[in-house]
Amino acid sequence: MELKSIAVDPAFQRKGYGKKLIEFTIAQYKGKYATYLVGTGDVPSAACFYEACGFHRSHILKDFFIDHYDHPMFEDGIQLVDMLYLAQAL
């Protein structure tokens, strides 16, 4: 199973809502899939968030955001280049 997108309004970030969303999806799909994958921009805040939710770094897709978007993508003021995948056994 792969999470394609999750977003929490900046006014509500760092209050546990994102982690609760992840926990909910884990509870819903545990036993139905073997692995939960998350693809995100290779920035420290995203990696730390998913690692705090129990994911571990799996692999990187080099130049993903350069090759698949017609404009530069930014997160936390950092231009996204590579897609970081994290995984968790379900």
Side-chain angles (χ1 to χ4, degrees):
M1 175 178 96
E2 182 178 345
L3 176 67
K4 287 293 193 183
S5 181
I6 185 175
V8 175
D9 186 294
F12 297 99
Q13 290 177 357
R14 302 202 180 283
K15 297 183 182 192
Y17 295 115
K19 190 168 185 176
K20 289 289 185 194
L21 288 168
I22 296 295
E23 290 170 350
F24 175 81
T25 59
I26 289 169
Q28 291 297 302
Y29 295 103
K30 192 171 192 135
K32 296 177 184 170
Y33 295 92
T35 306
Y36 192 171
L37 291 174
V38 173
T40 188
D42 191 8
V43 295
S45 61
C48 288
F49 168 74
Y50 288 111
E51 288 170 339
C53 291
F55 290 84
H56 65 273
R57 293 169 187 251
S58 174
H59 59 282
I60 290 178
L61 296 181
K62 290 287 193 189
D63 298 325
F64 179 88
F65 291 97
I66 303 297
D67 294 342
H68 296 284
Y69 289 86
D70 64 356
H71 59 282
M73 301 288 291
F74 291 86
E75 187 171 335
D76 293 341
I78 299 169
Q79 183 174 355
L80 302 180
V81 176
D82 301 329
M83 169 87 71
L84 170 64
Y85 268 92
L86 298 101
Q88 182 175 153
L90 292 178

